[in-house]
Amino acid sequence: MTPTITAFARSPDGGRGLARDMRVRWALEEVGQPYDVRLVSFSEMKESAHRALHPFGQIPTYEEGDLALFESGAIIFHIAQRHAGLLPEDASARARAIAWMFAALNTVEPPIIEREAARLLERDKSWYEERLPILEDRIRVRLGQLSSRLGDADWLDDAFSAGDLLMVTVLRRLSGADLLAKHPNLTIYVARGEARPAYRRAFDAQLAVFTGKAPAGC
Ligand code: GTB
């Protein structure tokens, strides 16, 4: 059964692939699973029909027959469990790859989001200039630790996995920021992820929505 995911009808990122449907598209492309996309506006996301799929009125969602999922991490874990290609067969390697999925979403992404939210929503606050360096220091610490662990390896734990897929999408949110550029190995790691054919297909598909060149139904 072809799954259907939801994505922004008009992503505020201008087609840079920073919204979280990108990681789901990439996962589906990695495993060779075709998918449909239902585009939703900001107001549609808050309506009861969408809230039945996503309690917080957000994207992405994932529908496959009777199954409806929200949370990009859970969706990718589901895809990775059902298809070969995103998690190793060996039980210990699989557990480590899952740990990297959680690390990307629970340890590395939160300080990055905090900084984004501050830059977007708190600029006019009297304490903004004082808070920003604190938030950036938190990111610096995490990137330093991640960079040390990655070293000169291609991927976080031997072969490419859903852990790398999530980590690359999380780090991409810092693209162009000095914070990431200070770590050449992380910059190359992100570029390595972006060079994967499945990533390119996913990126082009979400960009086509923005440029209005997506096929009908997407
Ligand atoms: N934890 C959830 C998950 O991982 O699925 C978070 C989902 C989420 O934050 N969805 C966002 C959303 O629906 C889109 S991805 N927001 C609308 C709302 O909450 O009303 C976050 C996002 C949005 C925009 C950009 N951008 O423009 O660069 C990047 C990322």
Side-chain angles (χ1 to χ4, degrees), residues 152-206:
D152 59 5
D154 281 359
W155 306 115
L156 290 166
D157 195 275
D158 197 13
F160 174 82
S161 78
D164 296 294
L165 186 151
L166 284 172
M167 194 65 83
V168 166
T169 59
V170 165
L171 295 179
R172 279 193 76 241
R173 296 183 78 147
L174 292 170
S175 292
D178 288 353
L179 289 162
L180 188 65
K182 286 219 167 71
H183 297 284
N185 67 335
L186 294 183
T187 306
I188 294 166
Y189 171 68
V190 171
R192 190 175 291 118
E194 291 173 337
R196 290 177 72 84
Y199 176 94
R200 298 289 351 148
R201 289 194 295 275
F203 184 89
D204 290 347
Q206 65 77 38

Side-chain angles (χ1 to χ4, degrees), residues 126-175:
S126 57
W127 35 261
Y128 173 74
E129 294 298 338
E130 213 174 328
R131 177 163 146 83
L132 191 63
I134 297 171
L135 298 178
E136 295 193 330
D137 273 346
R138 288 187 192 143
I139 300 176
R140 240 174 241 115
V141 169
R142 283 292 173 255
L143 294 186
Q145 293 163 331
L146 185 66
S147 171
S148 300
R149 171 54 80 99
L150 180 67
D152 59 5
D154 281 359
W155 306 115
L156 290 166
D157 195 275
D158 197 13
F160 174 82
S161 78
D164 296 294
L165 186 151
L166 284 172
M167 194 65 83
V168 166
T169 59
V170 165
L171 295 179
R172 279 193 76 241
R173 296 183 78 147
L174 292 170
S175 292

Side-chain angles (χ1 to χ4, degrees), residues 81-124:
Q81 280 186 303
R82 298 270 176 307
H83 303 267
L86 285 173
L87 286 173
E89 287 300 317
D90 173 76
S92 297
R94 195 176 180 93
R96 287 196 303 274
I98 293 167
W100 279 116
M101 293 178 70
F102 278 89
L105 299 180
N106 275 2
T107 305
V108 180
E109 191 166 48
I112 295 175
I113 304 288
E114 273 293 297
R115 173 177 172 268
E116 268 177 31
R119 282 160 58 109
L120 216 66
L121 307 170
E122 298 169 357
R123 252 176 214 281
D124 58 337

